[in-house]
Amino acid sequence: LCASAALACGGQGEKITLRYRPPAGSSQQLAIEQATRMRFEGGPMAQLGEQEMTMRMFVTQAVTGPVEGGTAVTATFDSFHVQSPTPPQQGMDQAPAGLSRQLGGNVRGASFAIPFPAQPVGVGDVWTETIEVPLGQVPGASGPIKATTEARVLEIRVAEGDTIVVLDVVSKMPTDPITVSAQGEQATINLAGSLTGDQEFSLARGATVSGKLGGEVRMTMSSPRTPGGMTMVMDLRLTLRSLGAP
């Protein structure tokens, strides 16, 4: 992936061109964990209290080769486990209807695939892109939630024949209202908050080998039935690690 971006140059040291180009025929297994805590502020849903869920999965990404405009990658879910102290889901190892689609969306969001600028970057350089965030599919929305994401090069280090680029990442939720269809009527969702973290990108592998992302997001839905709005607060903690990484 490569996209044009507004790049702010911060350092005068070594510059490196970043590209998502894993070698054809290669594969890597990823361990992904997403911990979510949710609560409603006010309204009838507030009586539910805080809801918790932790999802752990192992995914193998196999590179089948270059294609026009990029690289073809096949993702296989090797295993996953969903755990929640809230009944009735207390350790679920088989996907109910619709969970596979959510997992797929979470893998895309958890892959930390921030588009890279066309020009080389060095320590201190910053660029901004719009990417999908791992909040899952909002019911009734036409697509995933996308956030404005700023990436900054924190460090470039060479170790064991590889060059690792460490990025600081800040994703801010969109400020424009999102219109959805809920129970046969139109509703409006407003988001607030941000997710922050970092990731390590391997030049030898042409892929991200580790990363973490977390923060609090507030989601307020207003509709003719709830003119005062109903607010859900979500605390999200997500980590990704390549099992083959040192």
Side-chain angles (χ1 to χ4, degrees), residues 5-29:
L7 179 67
C9 298
Q12 300 297 323
E14 179 184 10
K15 300 284 186 177
I16 291 178
T17 300
L18 301 178
R19 295 291 184 269
Y20 290 103
R21 289 180 180 170
S26 65
S27 66
Q28 69 168 342
Q29 188 179 41

Side-chain angles (χ1 to χ4, degrees), residues 92-122:
M92 195 167 49
D93 293 296
Q94 295 184 354
L99 182 57
S100 295
R101 291 190 298 272
Q102 180 182 346
L103 289 174
N106 286 354
V107 169
R108 288 191 297 272
S111 64
F112 298 85
I114 302 170
F116 292 141
Q119 59 269 51
V121 295

Side-chain angles (χ1 to χ4, degrees), residues 230-245:
M230 180 176 61
T231 299
M232 180 180 71
V233 181
M234 177 185 300
D235 182 86
L236 174 71
R237 305 293 164 183
L238 188 146
T239 60
L240 172 146
R241 180 173 58 91
S242 173
L243 298 184

Side-chain angles (χ1 to χ4, degrees), residues 146-159:
K146 296 187 177 182
T148 300
T149 299
E150 180 183 276
R152 177 188 299 271
V153 181
L154 293 180
E155 179 186 3
I156 298 175
R157 66 175 184 266
V158 178

Side-chain angles (χ1 to χ4, degrees), residues 60-196:
T60 297
Q61 293 184 334
V63 181
T64 56
V67 295
E68 183 177 355
T71 301
V73 178
T74 300
T76 302
F77 293 95
D78 300 317
S79 66
F80 70 89
H81 181 76
V82 180
Q83 185 172 10
S84 172
T86 306
Q89 298 178 5
Q90 297 184 354
M92 195 167 49
D93 293 296
Q94 295 184 354
L99 182 57
S100 295
R101 291 190 298 272
Q102 180 182 346
L103 289 174
N106 286 354
V107 169
R108 288 191 297 272
S111 64
F112 298 85
I114 302 170
F116 292 141
Q119 59 269 51
V121 295
V123 174
D125 288 346
V126 180
W127 67 95
T128 302
E129 289 290 347
T130 300
I131 66 170
E132 179 179 340
V133 292
L135 295 181
Q137 179 70 46
V138 175
S142 58
I145 296 174
K146 296 187 177 182
T148 300
T149 299
E150 180 183 276
R152 177 188 299 271
V153 181
L154 293 180
E155 179 186 3
I156 298 175
R157 66 175 184 266
V158 178
E160 299 181 0
D162 194 1
T163 299
I164 301 295
V165 180
V166 183
L167 304 177
D168 177 72
V169 179
V170 179
S171 292
K172 296 181 179 180
M173 296 299 108
T175 56
D176 293 336
I178 301 171
T179 301
V180 300
S181 177
Q183 297 180 346
E185 58 186 20
Q186 295 294 308
T188 300
I189 293 178
N190 289 276
L191 297 172
S194 62
L195 301 175
T196 63

